[in-house]
Amino acid sequence: MDISATCASPLISVAELHDALASARPPVLLDIRYRLPAFQPTGPSGPEEYAAGHLPGAHFIDLDRDLAGTPGSAGRHPLPDPEEFGAALRRAGVSAGRPVVVYDAGPALSAARAWWLLRWAGHPDVRVLDGGVTGWREAGLPLTAEVPDTELGDFKPVPGQLPTVDAGQAAELARTGLLLDARAGERYRGEVEPLDPRAGHIPGAVSAPTAENVTADGRFRTPAELTARFSALGAGEREVGVYCGSGVTAAHELLALAVAGFPGVLYPGSWSEWSANPENPAATGMLPG
């Protein structure tokens, strides 16, 4: 499968999705809502939100169960087993020749993980609903509690279609390229660490909080704005790598980079893997200059 044969933009607007669902070749809809503890310590879980109301025809995909492996030495959200990942997608009707649209509550923090994994696994046509459920509601479009019948897709993952780096390669990128830390600034600086063994960041990494990729309404900034943001951080001049706490919101950063036209690589283990190894150094504060 040629992963280069992709749609022009990794994002789809509410209006575009509404039209696509009424077309002769509607996309598969995947609901990826998930309560990320670092962003939403309390509140309903993804399955609860899905049960209360979702886009008509959407299938729920569980981030912990379907989009990640078992937590351990490789981090809190290691890459999933390809066979289990593929089986979950096929049950939701995902096929190689049918477009896929993924969404969450709005900012795409968890939907981006599904987007990246599907691309990594070789699916050529995956987009993220910009604005998510919030944008859908604001457009006056309906939600439903009706769960669609299980569909049988034919998609079989071929892992490795997008690049990744391990801990050693991430450290090298921080020295010779551009390694972006997508966590909130206070976690990067080591002022707080609510989830992982140690506070701080990978030495040489540059702070680039995911929250700055979107506007107040949860939609992505324009390509020009994102290009300016990442150019100011050094993208375009060097190879770019991204990490976060556990490899989830780093995918959001990679999605924003893609909107801006910059390639990037993921460090899947991210800080949860790095900080658990006492031999790995941790830096605090901001980079000089």
Side-chain angles (χ1 to χ4, degrees):
M1 182 180 298
D2 182 6
I3 196 66
S4 65
T6 59
C7 48
S9 171
L11 301 177
I12 185 170
S13 71
V14 168
E16 289 170 331
L17 176 59
H18 182 262
D19 290 345
L21 291 172
S23 72
R25 187 171 173 254
V28 175
L29 277 180
L30 302 180
D31 187 311
I32 320 292
R33 280 179 286 182
Y34 177 77
R35 184 168 59 80
L36 280 163
F39 290 85
Q40 187 185 2
T42 61
S45 65
E48 290 170 334
E49 289 187 303
Y50 176 82
H54 51 267
L55 273 63
H59 293 266
F60 181 73
I61 295 290
D62 188 279
L63 192 149
D64 283 328
R65 183 189 64 229
D66 303 323
L67 304 183
T70 303
S73 60
R76 285 186 280 111
H77 287 111
L79 297 182
D81 175 86
E83 291 300 319
E84 295 178 3
F85 175 54
L89 294 175
R90 289 190 293 275
R91 287 194 298 271
V94 176
S95 293
R98 187 176 172 189
V100 177
V101 173
V102 296
Y103 71 86
D104 57 25
L109 294 174
S110 51
R113 168 77 172 201
W115 166 82
W116 186 91
L117 281 171
L118 276 156
R119 296 286 316 288
W120 167 81
H123 200 290
D125 193 349
V126 188
R127 288 188 283 178
V128 176
L129 177 60
D130 197 16
V133 172
T134 300
W136 186 264
R137 281 199 194 104
E138 289 173 350
L141 295 170
L143 298 178
T144 181
E146 182 178 350
V147 177
D149 293 336
T150 298
E151 301 182 55
L152 185 60
D154 64 14
F155 179 66
K156 294 183 179 180
V158 181
Q161 305 305 303
L162 291 181
T164 62
V165 293
D166 60 21
Q169 292 166 325
E172 180 66 19
L173 258 181
R175 291 190 294 269
T176 64
L178 176 64
L179 182 64
L180 300 178
D181 185 316
R183 298 173 300 160
E186 59 268 24
R187 290 183 72 191
Y188 170 87
R189 295 188 296 270
E191 297 164 4
V192 297
E193 182 43 67
L195 299 170
D196 293 316
R198 288 184 289 157
H201 60 266
I202 297 174
V206 174
S207 180
T210 298
E212 296 179 17
N213 295 328
V214 296
T215 58
D217 65 1
R219 290 176 174 82
F220 277 83
R221 297 187 182 279
T222 67
E225 289 171 331
L226 290 170
T227 298
R229 181 191 186 209
F230 292 119
S231 294
L233 294 170
E237 303 171 4
R238 297 166 285 173
E239 183 180 6
V240 180
V242 185
Y243 76 97
C244 59
S246 65
V248 174
T249 59
H252 190 281
E253 195 100 298
L254 288 166
L255 177 56
L257 282 160
V259 171
F262 296 119
V265 301
L266 175 70
Y267 170 27
S270 286
W271 187 248
S272 61
E273 179 188 49
W274 180 279
S275 62
N277 184 343
E279 296 184 2
N280 289 332
T284 56
M286 294 296 292
L287 285 177

